[in-house]
Amino acid sequence: MQEIENACQILAAGGLVAFPTETVYGLGADACNEHAIRKIFAVKGRPLNHPLIVHLASENDLPIFAREIPEIAWQIVKEFWPGPLTIVLKKTNHVSSLITGGQNTIALRCPSHPKAQHLLKAFGSGIVAPSANRFTHLSPTSALDVRSELGDDVDYIIDGGRCSLGLESTIINLVDETPQLLRPGMISIDKLAKFLGRSIESDQGNKIKAPGMHKKHYAPRTKTSLLKHEEIISFIAKLSHDQVLTVAAILYNDISLDHKIQQIKMPKNPTDYAHQLYHQMRLLDNDAFTQIIIEDVPYTSEWATIRDRLIKATGT
Ligand code: TXA
Ligand code: MG
C-alpha cells in the first residue's frame, strides 16, 4: 500500500506520522530516533517527564524493549494483544530515557487496527506514539480530528476512519509483584483480574508511576462541567434567554430540556457511549458554545472508564 510506504519513509527520515489505532489516533515517531522523539514533545507541548508508549507489531518484539519480563506479562499479551492494552515493564538499556521520562520502566502496546498493524510490520521497529493531540486536549478519533488538532505540525496522516473504541488503552504496571492499573480502559480491571485469577491494585493517579495522569486531561477547551440529572435541570433554569443559546448538553437520560439548548443524546450502552464521547465533545468544542454540560453516567464498574474520562475532561 502506497500510504504505508510513504509513512515508513517519513518515519525513517525522522518525521512524524499520525496513524489510526482502535483506541485513538497516535502521533508516531521512530522509537530509535531521539531527534524525532523530541519533535513529538515539542508538537504536543508535552512536558519531558511524561513518558510515551512504544507500539510494537507483536509480542515477539517485547524483549527488544523490556527486560526481566515476568511470566504474567507473556500470559497477558498472548490473551489481549493485539488490542487496547498497554503494559509497563522494566526497560532494556538501549531504550532512550527520553521515551520513558527518565524512568527505568517502559510502556508497550500492540494495537489491533489493521492499518496500525500494517504500518508496524512494514516499519519493522518500534514506533513511539502518544495520542495525536496537543497536551491536555481531547484525543483525536478520526484523521480529520488529527489535522484540526495539529495542522501542518504532523508530516503525514494515515486515514483509518473513526476509531472503533474511542478511548485510550488500559495501562497496567507489571513491574511489581502485584499488577497495578495505571489507567482504566475498555479492557476492564475485572476482566484482567478474572483472566489472571488474582486481584489487581487500582493505582490511578499515582504521579510517580504514571506521570501523565494529572487531574485535567482529555479535556475540551470550552468550559465543561459534569452534572447530575437534577443539577442539569436547576442549572438550566437559572440561565437567561440569551445564555441558553450558548450552552450545549451531552445527555445520558431522556431529559426534556428547553429545545433552544443544543442537546446530544448519548447511547445507553457503555461501548457505544465510549465510541461517541470524544467525537461529540470535539464537535461541540469546535463550535461557539461557551459551556458544555455533561450528564453523569451510572456508578457501575462497566461505566468506570467513561467516568474516569468525564472526571478528567471536567477537572471534577
Ligand atoms: O490508546 C492509547 O494508549 C493511545 C494510542 C495512540 O496507542 N496512546 C496514548 O498515549 O494514550 P498517551 O501518551 O496519550 O498516554 C500514555 C500514558 C502517559 O500519560 C503515561 O501516564 C503512561 O502512558 N506511561 C507511559 N510510559 C509509562 C511508564 N514507563 N510508566 C508508567 N506510565 C507510563
Ligand atoms: Mg494522550
Side-chain angles (χ1 to χ4, degrees), residues 23 46 51 53 55 105 107 109 130-131 169 171 183 209 212-213:
T23 58
R46 175 171 172 136
I53 299 173
H55 295 64
T105 58
R109 147 161 153 79
S131 49
S169 63
I171 306 181
R183 178 172 73 185
K209 294 227 169 63
M213 301 290 113

Side-chain angles (χ1 to χ4, degrees), residues 8-115:
C8 287
Q9 273 172 16
I10 291 166
L11 288 172
L16 302 185
V17 171
F19 62 95
T21 82
E22 65 280 22
T23 58
V24 299
Y25 274 69
L27 178 63
D30 178 357
C32 299
N33 182 333
E34 289 209 341
H35 181 68
I37 299 167
R38 279 188 198 282
K39 276 197 221 164
I40 286 192
F41 285 98
V43 165
K44 282 192 62 105
R46 175 171 172 136
L48 282 168
N49 64 351
H50 285 219
L52 304 174
I53 299 173
V54 175
H55 295 64
L56 306 174
S58 85
E59 71 260 26
N60 298 335
D61 294 340
L62 265 182
I64 301 172
F65 293 92
R67 66 186 166 88
E68 297 173 36
I69 303 169
E71 185 48 37
I72 189 179
W74 289 114
Q75 288 168 3
I76 286 178
V77 299
K78 286 203 172 93
E79 178 73 11
F80 297 103
W81 280 10
L85 179 72
T86 299
I87 60 170
V88 174
L89 296 170
K90 285 187 190 160
K91 79 174 187 77
T92 48
N93 284 336
H94 70 88
V95 172
S96 165
S97 59
L98 252 188
I99 296 178
T100 67
Q103 302 188 82
N104 61 1
T105 58
I106 176 113
L108 297 159
R109 147 161 153 79
C110 173
S112 66
H113 191 292
K115 286 201 178 179

Side-chain angles (χ1 to χ4, degrees), residues 44 46 131 133 139 217-218:
K44 282 192 62 105
R46 175 171 172 136
S131 49
N133 51 279
S139 297
H217 212 134
Y218 316 111

Side-chain angles (χ1 to χ4, degrees), residues 27-259:
L27 178 63
D30 178 357
C32 299
N33 182 333
E34 289 209 341
H35 181 68
I37 299 167
R38 279 188 198 282
K39 276 197 221 164
I40 286 192
F41 285 98
V43 165
K44 282 192 62 105
R46 175 171 172 136
L48 282 168
N49 64 351
H50 285 219
L52 304 174
I53 299 173
V54 175
H55 295 64
L56 306 174
S58 85
E59 71 260 26
N60 298 335
D61 294 340
L62 265 182
I64 301 172
F65 293 92
R67 66 186 166 88
E68 297 173 36
I69 303 169
E71 185 48 37
I72 189 179
W74 289 114
Q75 288 168 3
I76 286 178
V77 299
K78 286 203 172 93
E79 178 73 11
F80 297 103
W81 280 10
L85 179 72
T86 299
I87 60 170
V88 174
L89 296 170
K90 285 187 190 160
K91 79 174 187 77
T92 48
N93 284 336
H94 70 88
V95 172
S96 165
S97 59
L98 252 188
I99 296 178
T100 67
Q103 302 188 82
N104 61 1
T105 58
I106 176 113
L108 297 159
R109 147 161 153 79
C110 173
S112 66
H113 191 292
K115 286 201 178 179
Q117 275 287 316
H118 200 149
L119 175 70
L120 287 158
K121 289 206 167 84
F123 190 59
S125 180
I127 298 178
V128 278
S131 49
N133 51 279
R134 308 281 184 195
F135 185 54
T136 76
H137 198 218
L138 292 170
S139 297
T141 55
S142 75
L144 205 66
D145 292 354
V146 177
R147 190 57 83 191
S148 80
E149 200 46 55
L150 301 179
D152 290 338
D153 288 347
V154 53
D155 298 307
Y156 195 72
I157 302 176
I158 298 174
D159 190 345
R162 278 273 296 281
C163 300
S164 58
L165 298 178
L167 296 180
E168 304 80 1
S169 63
T170 307
I171 306 181
I172 180 166
N173 180 17
L174 300 175
V175 171
D176 302 324
E177 186 53 34
T178 306
Q180 292 165 322
L181 181 74
L182 299 181
R183 178 172 73 185
M186 298 312 275
I187 294 182
S188 69
I189 187 168
D190 293 348
K191 194 168 177 182
L192 283 165
K194 196 167 169 210
F195 170 73
L196 294 172
R198 59 191 288 185
S199 64
I200 294 174
E201 241 174 72
S202 177
D203 189 33
Q204 300 161 44
N206 182 325
K207 296 260 177 334
I208 297 157
K209 294 227 169 63
M213 301 290 113
H214 59 104
K215 206 175 169 204
K216 183 141 177 149
H217 212 134
Y218 316 111
R221 298 204 168 87
T222 312
K223 181 174 184 222
T224 305
S225 320
L226 184 61
L227 301 177
K228 298 195 196 316
H229 187 135
E230 320 74 61
E231 291 171 329
I232 290 188
I233 308 283
S234 57
F235 174 87
I236 287 172
K238 289 188 201 121
L239 297 176
S240 71
H241 193 73
D242 289 345
Q243 281 172 323
V244 161
L245 298 169
T246 68
V247 172
I250 295 180
L251 301 174
Y252 172 77
N253 284 301
D254 301 299
I255 313 179
S256 48
L257 301 177
D258 185 330
H259 69 273

